[in-house]
């Protein structure tokens, strides 16, 4: 025997696996309790896929690619949308969620001052932040209301259509009663 063929089932159909050379001495079928050639076990937020054959030892790169693609397609879940941002390439908007707040970091690598508009998905609050080239601004919002708690800015800040800071370098924070405190960094 110079080659051996097997059929490996996937969520997207059956794939031919061909084994030759030294792989012939290693190939054996793992018998599943239900006589299938694969099983998936959900473990926490992930999944473990069990295969009856050592797919990586087969000679067909195309079958190996289709095998991994089929299982990735079956387990990938769409990521929740945390925010929507209107910006351009070279501007990074990165939200970091905490139990009671979300911290938005807006960093710019583009030339000149730019306005970045963000809509927080949880609170539906619309934000507008100006950021200069080679600079970053930070905005801490309460969860789930989206009320600003603190900001480190290099430009104008607008929240829900209302200007909260006209511009310039500043550290801002809001007391529990909503009173804004400002430290100018200029």
């Amino acid at each position: 025997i110079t080659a051996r063929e097997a059929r490996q089932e996937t969520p997207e159909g059956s794939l031919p696996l061909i084994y030759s050379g030294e792989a012939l001495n290693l190939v054996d079928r793992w018998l599943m309790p239900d006589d299938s050639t694969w099983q998936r076990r959900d473990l926490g937020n992930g999944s473990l896929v069990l295969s009856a054959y050592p797919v990586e030892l087969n000679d067909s790169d195309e079958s190996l690619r289709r095998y991994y693609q089929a299982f990735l397609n079956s387990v990938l879940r769409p990521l929740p949308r945390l925010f929507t941002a209107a910006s351009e390439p070279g501007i990074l908007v990165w939200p970091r969620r905490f139990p009671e707040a979300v911290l938005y970091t807006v960093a710019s690598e583009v030339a000149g001052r730019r306005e970045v508009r963000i809509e927080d998905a949880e609170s539906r609050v619309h934000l507008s932040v100006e950021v200069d080239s080679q600079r970053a601004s930070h905005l801490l919002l309460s969860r789930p209301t989206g009320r600003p708690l603190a900001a480190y800015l290099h430009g104008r800040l607008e929240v829900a259509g209302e200007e909260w800071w006209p511009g310039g370098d500043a550290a801002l924070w809001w007391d529990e009663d909503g009173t804004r405190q400002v430290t100018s960094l200029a």
Side-chain angles (χ1 to χ4, degrees):
I1 296 178
T2 58
R4 177 177 170 197
E5 185 175 323
R7 302 295 299 179
Q8 174 67 53
E9 297 297 323
T10 73
E12 296 179 1
S14 181
L15 298 174
L17 302 178
I18 300 170
Y19 298 94
S20 64
E22 287 297 315
L24 282 172
N25 298 327
L26 302 172
V27 173
D28 200 3
R29 182 174 192 264
W30 186 16
L31 295 176
M32 307 278 181
D34 62 357
D35 209 33
S36 66
T37 61
W38 71 275
Q39 290 183 358
R40 186 176 86 204
R41 305 273 194 237
D42 292 327
L43 301 170
N45 289 330
S47 295
L48 176 67
V49 175
L50 307 171
S51 177
Y53 296 99
V55 180
E56 291 82 3
L57 296 179
N58 105 91
D59 295 342
S60 171
D61 290 338
E62 179 61 18
S63 289
L64 182 61
R65 184 197 64 76
R66 288 178 47 210
Y67 172 82
Y68 278 107
Q69 188 65 56
F71 283 103
L72 283 173
N73 290 343
S74 76
V75 298
L76 288 179
R77 297 174 186 101
L79 294 174
R81 181 157 289 244
L82 302 176
F83 69 98
T84 303
S87 64
E88 60 186 272
I91 295 180
L92 170 71
V93 178
W94 185 54
R96 177 69 172 107
R97 297 221 176 259
F98 299 99
E100 296 182 15
V102 59
L103 175 65
Y104 279 97
T105 299
V106 180
S108 176
E109 293 291 329
V110 298
R113 179 171 284 200
R114 295 293 194 273
E115 177 186 20
V116 178
R117 293 180 308 279
I118 302 167
E119 179 187 8
D120 183 69
E122 183 176 21
S123 66
R124 309 311 277 174
V125 168
H126 292 265
L127 310 165
S128 175
V129 178
E130 283 185 347
V131 63
D132 285 327
S133 179
Q134 306 296 313
R135 304 293 290 271
S137 290
H138 306 279
L139 181 61
L140 186 67
L141 303 177
S142 68
R143 290 183 69 192
T145 65
R147 182 177 64 83
L149 300 173
Y152 179 76
L153 303 167
H154 296 289
R156 190 179 61 78
L157 170 65
E158 186 179 291
V159 178
E162 181 182 332
E163 187 176 82
W164 287 55
W165 181 246
D169 295 349
L172 292 79
W173 66 98
W174 286 264
D175 293 334
E176 288 192 25
D177 65 0
T179 306
R180 182 181 70 199
Q181 306 293 325
V182 177
T183 299
S184 179
L185 304 174

